């Protein structure tokens, strides 16, 4: 990983400029990567090992998507949100009155969600949303 990072940083400005142009034009394609199987205590899991450039691209896209969709979450939502954690959710529950008539705590873990979701449908949802947003200079 260190050598991949070093390769990318050798001409950092040019590499970032190239990556940005490819992301904006829709011509960026992640380099195929090998699949590494990592045995976890509770399951067998597969994990890909992306290139350093792929990691930079993923983080850039995540920051844009997060900025747009973060505004749609309700205040009481804690899952996978910036600056929020499961521990904070539990602390908030402890602060609330204990004699609620109704109390809902929902925990969900969708196994291999991005491996199994219809990527065409997901892409069409994102395309509709991002057409209304402008990220041009």
């Amino acid at each position: 990983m260190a050598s991949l990072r070093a390769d990318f940083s050798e001409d950092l400005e040019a590499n970032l400029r190239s990556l940005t142009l490819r992301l904006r034009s829709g011509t960026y394609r992640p380099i195929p990567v090998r699949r590494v199987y990592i045995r976890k205590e509770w399951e067998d899991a597969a994990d890909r090992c992306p290139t350093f450039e792929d990691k930079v691209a993923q983080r850039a896209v995540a920051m844009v998507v997060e900025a747009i969709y973060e505004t749609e979450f309700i205040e009481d939502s804690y899952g996978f949100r910036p600056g929020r954690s499961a521990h904070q959710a539990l602390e908030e529950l402890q602060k609330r009155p204990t004699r609620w008539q109704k109390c809902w705590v929902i925990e969900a873990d969708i196994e291999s969600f991005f491996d199994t979701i219809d990527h065409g449908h997901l892409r069409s949802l994102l395309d509709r949303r991002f057409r209304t947003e402008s990220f041009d200079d």
Side-chain angles (χ1 to χ4, degrees):
M1 178 61 143
S3 66
L4 294 175
R5 190 175 320 137
D7 291 346
F8 192 82
S9 65
E10 273 183 27
D11 195 1
L12 183 61
E13 290 297 321
N15 287 331
L16 288 174
R17 200 174 309 112
S18 170
L19 178 58
T20 300
L21 290 172
R22 287 179 286 138
L23 284 169
R24 287 182 178 220
S25 69
T27 60
Y28 175 75
R29 297 291 178 263
I31 295 170
V33 295
R34 64 191 164 110
R35 189 170 285 267
V36 176
Y37 294 94
I38 301 170
R39 179 178 290 272
K40 296 185 181 174
E41 193 174 302
W42 62 91
E43 67 182 1
D44 289 334
D47 191 16
R48 51 188 290 260
C49 297
T51 65
F52 187 75
E53 182 182 61
D54 197 18
K55 286 184 172 206
V56 171
Q58 288 172 8
R59 186 65 200 128
V61 170
M63 289 170 65
V64 171
V65 171
E66 185 177 271
I68 291 172
Y69 284 101
E70 178 62 24
T71 61
E72 296 188 13
F73 286 102
I74 62 171
E75 189 62 28
D76 294 333
S77 177
Y78 283 83
F80 297 100
R81 292 182 63 198
R84 292 178 181 241
S85 69
H87 293 286
Q88 289 172 317
L90 291 172
E91 288 171 11
E92 185 61 33
L93 281 172
Q94 290 174 345
K95 291 179 192 175
R96 305 258 176 127
T98 56
R99 286 188 248 163
W100 287 339
Q101 299 244 338
K102 293 181 181 177
C103 176
W104 293 86
V105 176
I106 300 172
E107 179 184 359
D109 185 9
I110 304 171
E111 184 178 342
S112 301
F113 177 75
F114 288 104
D115 292 338
T116 57
I117 189 172
D118 179 336
H119 289 117
H121 182 65
L122 177 60
R123 181 62 191 252
S124 70
L125 290 171
L126 291 170
D127 284 345
R128 279 193 301 224
R129 180 61 185 268
F130 282 87
R131 278 198 196 115
T132 64
E133 307 291 336
S134 176
F135 297 103
D136 296 331
D137 294 331

